[in-house]
Amino acid sequence: MKLHHTGFVVANMAKYAENHPLGECVAEVEDPIQNANLSLFRNHSDVLVELIQPLNELAFTWNALQKNGNHFHHFCYTVNQIETVNKIAKDFRMLKVLGPVPALLFGGLEVVFYYTRNQQIVEFIICLLYTSPSP
């Protein structure tokens, strides 16, 4: 398991990126499953930064944005198989929120979201060998 990215929910992706040293944008998509615009930034380290801009009330992150404004949303880890995710979820007594679903931002690889006992979201990208988008 390796930390892949941190995710932030934002009201306006362009404005947020303009005012934060995120680094280079390496991928952008409009994700109909999440009802959100998503961008991935290479932020001067091995860990990427994802910006999530909910498009409407159907977005999974809409209520969080309304309640908290721009904010940190989740950590995301890569794992090599769903069984690894299931074991981690069981060991840490996490509640599944969504998934597995295909993630357009990651080339259609499946992702799954869990809610921890710390009341935080954790995302897992399920992959055998995933490499981050090249600049």
Side-chain angles (χ1 to χ4, degrees), residues 5 33-34 76-83 85 96 98-113 123-128 130:
H5 71 264
I33 293 172
Q34 295 188 46
C76 177
Y77 299 92
T78 55
V79 295
N80 60 2
Q81 55 190 353
I82 191 68
E83 291 78 12
V85 175
K96 187 187 290 186
L98 176 69
V101 296
L104 295 179
L105 191 60
F106 308 119
L109 292 173
E110 289 191 325
V111 296
V112 61
F113 294 87
E123 176 184 15
F124 296 95
I125 301 174
I126 303 161
C127 57
L128 294 176
Y130 176 72

Side-chain angles (χ1 to χ4, degrees), residues 4-115:
H4 181 264
H5 71 264
T6 58
F8 292 83
V9 174
V10 299
N12 183 311
M13 199 175 306
K15 187 173 181 180
Y16 190 91
E18 178 181 296
N19 295 305
H20 195 282
L22 293 170
E24 178 185 6
C25 183
V26 294
E28 292 181 296
V29 298
E30 182 177 318
D31 189 326
I33 293 172
Q34 295 188 46
N35 288 298
N37 286 324
L38 309 172
S39 292
L40 197 62
F41 292 83
R42 187 172 311 287
N43 69 335
H44 321 291
S45 74
D46 290 338
V47 178
L48 301 168
V49 174
E50 177 187 27
L51 297 184
I52 306 145
Q53 179 181 325
L55 295 174
N56 56 48
E57 297 85 3
L58 298 175
F60 304 117
T61 52
W62 180 264
N63 288 337
L65 178 62
Q66 302 310 304
K67 181 179 178 184
N68 303 315
N70 294 342
H71 67 282
F72 167 79
H73 184 257
H74 68 272
F75 286 110
C76 177
Y77 299 92
T78 55
V79 295
N80 60 2
Q81 55 190 353
I82 191 68
E83 291 78 12
T84 303
V85 175
N86 293 338
K87 180 174 180 351
I88 293 166
K90 181 179 178 186
D91 290 350
F92 288 90
R93 298 171 45 196
M94 293 190 238
L95 177 64
K96 187 187 290 186
V97 177
L98 176 69
V101 296
L104 295 179
L105 191 60
F106 308 119
L109 292 173
E110 289 191 325
V111 296
V112 61
F113 294 87
Y114 281 88
Y115 193 65

